[in-house]
């Protein structure tokens, strides 16, 4: 898959690479050493999957890119990137981290390939992570059509603006799944991934008060699932074709395992987002919410419960509804101090995921008309291997990734409560630091609960320095970080990470700076 991606990228971008005046070049090397069973959480998480849980790991990375924004004076703008790494102690030795081409026209952008995409409506380095479209796993190659920046809706004088995307892609971890499970537990092949998101900004950017509303959704579909048995192997070929792509876009259809109860085809999930902003001259404050859902019980917080009986067992007969709690969500506060460089950003978050529409799941039957829809089992699925890629969850890393397990691709802790705080500053020119502290209380899952609640505390202290342009080491930067886990959820781990990088430019005359 890696070789195919490189050949595709070189073919697709051979003309743009020859024509542009500037290509950005980043070379980077990183080494991580830990004492414990795993790399500490915050030395591993939210790095777009270019990380490892092995106590000793490292990589050498080279990235060449040309941002489509560099062609801002043109009507048609082209961007591209090739970002590869040679790694030790990772899930693979050769990693194609990013390989994409982009074509921009006016406000729109078409991207083909694997690209690291930042989270929306939250701080990139201090938040614990988004619950649906996070930055914890390797990018999935896709065809992505987007409005990457807010576009003012005409006729409203800038008071309403819209951005978003829609994409279809394919996962690349088939061989890793086979190796990890040793073909003894469930794995999948050729799974497709669909994502979409829309964000609405209310209020002009120059005004102090604004609000942002958003919805993010994902769907795994297609391919096939393999269920190894004691003396046989069961293979389930999922639906494919145009109808499956449409059912992923607009949740509909059904899976082969649904029988009388028609759920939606594929593994659908998403988040409802809200962010309120107040921007003052010397500070800015934002409050945000990320409410996760696996089905309509948490999407709409209400479910129809008025079915009939006998011949009418599957028909709506009475005006009766089931109302669910809204306790599962991520709540956050973000404070920016514009005149305090030594402490310029503070983030605090609270997460609760233990409800999941309740502990009882029961569809109405021919003899029992009551309908309850609980046990949502966040990030897991009965056919697909859950909301993960290469063993790392594609959302918030406080959901324990499958890489922490053994031979079973399963998110084993999705019911938890957590508190998370982060702080960052730039006390001196070129010097930047960040601190993260997370406390978590996990309950396991409804189907496999822990006998007793398990706890964990994770810490990160990181310092980065970029040398000035007037020094011998201009364009070079170094980063040192120390991380620690304490508790039953992740074990007792302590480690250090060192990163060195050089940022350069190749210009049209083939000279590098």
């Amino acid at each position: 898959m890696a070789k195919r991606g490189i050949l595709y990228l070189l073919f697709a971008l051979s003309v743009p690479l020859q024509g542009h005046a500037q290509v950005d070049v980043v070379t980077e090397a990183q080494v991580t050493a830990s004492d414990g069973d795993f790399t500490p959480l915050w030395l591993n998480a939210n790095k777009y999957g270019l990380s490892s849980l092995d106590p000793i790991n490292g990589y050498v990375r080279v990235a060449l890119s040309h941002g489509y924004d560099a062609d801002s004076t043109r009507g048609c703008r082209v961007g591209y990137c090739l970002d590869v790494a040679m790694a030790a102690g990772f899930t693979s030795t050769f990693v194609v981290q990013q390989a994409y081409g982009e074509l921009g026209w006016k406000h729109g952008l078409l991207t083909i390939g694997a690209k690291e995409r930042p989270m929306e409506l939250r701080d990139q380095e201090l938040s614990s992570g988004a619950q649906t479209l996070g930055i914890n796993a390797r990018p999935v190659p896709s065809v992505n059509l987007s409005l990457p920046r807010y576009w003012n809706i005409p006729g409203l004088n800038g008071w309403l603006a819209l951005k978003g995307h829609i994409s279809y892609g394919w996962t690349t971890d088939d061989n890793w799944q086979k190796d990890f499970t040793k073909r003894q537990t469930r794995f999948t092949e050729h799974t497709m991934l669909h994502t979409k998101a829309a964000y609405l900004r209310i209020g002009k950017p120059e005004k102090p008060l604004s609000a942002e509303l958003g919805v993010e959704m994902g769907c795994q579909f297609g391919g096939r699932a393999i269920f190894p048995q004691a003396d046989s192997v069961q293979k389930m070929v999922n639906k494919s074709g145009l109808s499956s792509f449409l059912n992923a876009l607009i949740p509909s259809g059904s899976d082969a395992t649904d029988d009388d109860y028609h759920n939606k085809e594929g593994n659908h999930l998403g988040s409802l987002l809200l962010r309120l902003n107040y921007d003052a001259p010397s500070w800015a404050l934002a409050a945000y919410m990320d409410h996760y859902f696996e089905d309509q019980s948490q999407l709409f917080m209400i479910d129809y419960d008025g079915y009939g009986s006998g011949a009418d067992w599957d028909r709506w007969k009475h005006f009766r509804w089931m109302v669910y709690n809204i306790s599962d969500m991520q709540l956050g506060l973000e404070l920016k101090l514009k005149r305090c460089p030594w402490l310029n950003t503070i983030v605090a978050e609270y997460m609760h995921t233990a409800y999941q529409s309740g502990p009882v799941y029961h569809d109405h039957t021919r003899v029992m008309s009551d309908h309850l829809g609980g046990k949502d089992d966040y990030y897991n699925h009965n056919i697909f291997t859950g909301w993960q890629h290469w063993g790392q969850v594609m959302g918030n890393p406080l959901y324990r990734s499958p890489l922490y397990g053994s031979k079973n691709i399963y998110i084993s802790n999705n019911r938890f409560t957590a508190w998370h705080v982060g702080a960052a500053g730039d006390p001196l020119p070129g010097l930047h630091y960040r601190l993260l502290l997370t406390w978590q209380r996990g309950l396991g899952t409804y189907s496999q609960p822990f006998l007793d609640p398990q706890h964990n505390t994770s810490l990160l202290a990181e310092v980065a320095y970029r040398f000035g342009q007037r020094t011998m080491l201009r364009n070079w930067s170094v980063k040192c970080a120390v991380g620690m886990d304490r508790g039953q959820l992740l074990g007792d781990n302590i480690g250090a990470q060192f990163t060195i990088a050089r940022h350069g430019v190749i210009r049209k005359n083939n000279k590098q700076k």
Side-chain angles (χ1 to χ4, degrees):
M1 184 66 199
K3 293 181 180 179
R4 191 187 346 165
I6 293 175
L7 291 174
Y8 168 80
L9 184 74
L10 292 178
F11 172 77
L13 301 178
S14 58
V15 174
L17 280 169
Q18 296 175 8
H20 287 104
Q22 177 175 309
V23 177
D24 296 319
V25 182
V26 177
T27 53
E28 181 179 275
Q30 183 180 100
V31 61
T32 304
S34 305
D35 180 21
D37 293 332
F38 304 109
T39 299
L41 174 67
W42 295 122
L43 294 182
N44 162 76
N46 287 342
K47 296 179 182 291
Y48 296 97
L50 191 61
S51 57
S52 173
L53 288 181
D54 284 13
I56 306 296
N57 65 81
Y59 66 79
V60 177
R61 179 183 189 182
V62 179
L64 295 87
S65 64
H66 176 83
Y68 81 98
D69 282 341
D71 295 334
S72 58
T73 59
R74 304 181 183 181
C76 182
R77 306 179 301 280
V78 173
Y80 45 82
C81 176
L82 177 60
D83 180 1
V84 297
M86 294 295 295
F90 277 48
T91 50
S92 56
T93 301
F94 182 67
V95 180
V96 180
Q97 182 67 10
Q98 299 184 88
Y100 64 85
E102 294 186 302
L103 180 65
W105 175 254
K106 295 187 177 180
H107 299 285
L109 180 65
L110 173 66
T111 305
I112 301 177
K115 180 181 181 180
E116 295 179 349
R117 299 183 180 279
M119 300 178 293
E120 297 285 351
L121 310 189
R122 69 195 70 222
D123 188 275
Q124 299 302 307
E125 67 169 357
L126 298 183
S127 171
S128 66
Q131 293 200 81
T132 298
L133 302 181
I135 59 174
N136 190 58
R138 287 193 198 177
V140 174
S142 64
V143 178
N144 185 297
L145 184 62
S146 66
L147 282 172
R149 297 185 180 86
Y150 278 118
W151 166 69
N152 289 328
I153 298 176
L156 299 177
N157 198 26
W159 282 98
L160 287 179
L162 181 71
K163 68 178 179 180
H165 84 270
I166 180 173
S167 77
Y168 286 94
W170 55 96
T171 58
T172 61
D173 63 348
D174 289 7
N175 290 332
W176 170 83
Q177 290 193 36
K178 296 172 186 176
D179 292 340
F180 184 77
T181 62
K182 302 187 185 304
R183 301 175 186 257
Q184 296 179 18
T185 59
R186 178 186 53 176
F187 60 91
T188 60
E189 295 178 325
H190 315 309
T191 300
M192 302 292 292
L193 178 69
H194 164 67
T195 66
K196 53 182 171 283
Y199 310 93
L200 180 67
R201 187 188 67 207
I202 305 172
K204 293 185 176 180
E206 63 271 18
K207 299 294 184 179
L209 186 63
S210 64
E212 295 170 274
L213 307 174
V215 58
E216 299 177 345
M217 295 188 68
C219 175
Q220 295 165 306
F221 68 102
R224 62 179 183 174
I226 293 88
F227 300 85
Q229 309 294 327
D231 54 357
S232 64
V233 176
Q234 178 186 357
K235 297 182 180 180
M236 177 181 295
V237 179
N238 297 311
K239 299 177 183 178
S240 59
L242 179 59
S243 62
S244 295
F245 282 76
L246 294 176
N247 290 339
L249 176 65
I250 303 174
S252 53
S254 62
D255 289 316
T257 58
D258 286 350
D259 297 325
D260 289 337
Y261 305 106
H262 297 295
N263 296 307
K264 305 300 184 285
E265 180 182 349
N267 178 26
H268 290 267
L269 49 85
S271 288
L272 300 176
L273 306 175
L274 170 65
R275 179 180 171 106
L276 303 176
N277 307 291
Y278 186 83
D279 193 358
S282 61
W283 55 275
L285 181 65
Y288 55 91
M289 178 197 74
D290 180 337
H291 173 64
Y292 181 79
F293 59 86
E294 287 268 355
D295 54 33
Q296 61 194 30
S297 63
Q298 286 298 298
L299 171 59
F300 301 113
M301 311 307 300
I302 193 170
D303 201 0
Y304 185 77
D305 194 28
Y307 294 96
S309 59
D312 295 329
W313 76 277
D314 200 26
R315 296 179 181 176
W316 290 24
K317 301 294 292 183
H318 312 288
F319 191 78
R320 185 179 175 190
W321 300 87
M322 175 71 182
V323 180
Y324 299 91
N325 293 337
I326 195 172
S327 58
D328 284 354
M329 65 181 66
Q330 179 191 60
L331 300 174
L333 286 174
E334 177 186 311
L335 175 64
K336 290 188 177 296
L337 304 174
K338 302 178 183 180
R339 298 173 185 175
C340 183
W342 61 272
L343 177 62
N344 52 37
T345 308
I346 302 172
V347 167
E349 292 179 343
Y350 168 76
M351 281 188 68
H352 185 278
T353 69
Y355 175 53
Q356 301 193 20
S357 301
V360 177
Y361 178 78
H362 172 68
D363 270 318
H364 59 288
T365 69
R366 297 180 185 275
V367 296
M368 184 179 295
S369 61
D370 290 333
H371 174 86
L372 303 175
K375 299 177 68 175
D376 289 344
D377 205 9
Y378 295 167
Y379 284 23
N380 286 313
H381 193 261
N382 66 317
I383 298 176
F384 298 93
T385 49
W387 196 239
Q388 65 83 36
H389 194 221
W390 288 87
Q392 298 272 27
V393 297
M394 292 189 287
N396 189 290
L398 297 184
Y399 294 86
R400 191 161 67 185
S401 291
L403 277 179
Y404 286 97
S406 176
K407 298 182 182 179
N408 193 357
I409 304 177
Y410 179 71
I411 285 76
S412 58
N413 181 51
N414 60 18
R415 299 184 59 236
F416 61 85
T417 301
W419 290 91
H420 171 84
V421 293
D426 301 273
L428 297 172
L431 182 65
H432 178 77
Y433 77 88
R434 66 169 176 153
L435 302 171
L436 301 179
L437 177 62
T438 307
W439 177 86
Q440 186 177 11
R441 179 178 182 267
L443 302 175
T445 68
Y446 273 130
S447 59
Q448 298 183 27
F450 299 147
L451 294 180
D452 296 301
Q454 296 185 7
H455 299 82
N456 182 76
T457 301
S458 294
L459 172 70
L460 173 76
E462 181 181 88
V463 177
Y465 184 75
R466 186 159 186 170
F467 292 91
Q469 292 298 307
R470 297 183 179 181
T471 66
M472 294 181 59
L473 296 176
R474 64 179 184 178
N475 299 328
W476 286 85
S477 63
V478 295
K479 184 187 299 182
C480 300
V482 176
M484 183 181 70
D485 300 326
R486 285 292 182 269
Q488 299 164 295
L489 276 174
L490 304 181
D492 294 338
N493 311 297
I494 186 169
Q497 190 173 83
F498 179 76
T499 309
I500 183 170
R502 186 183 189 278
H503 301 254
V505 173
I506 298 177
R507 302 194 185 279
K508 194 172 184 178
N509 58 9
N510 293 326
K511 292 183 179 180
Q512 182 172 352
K513 289 190 175 183

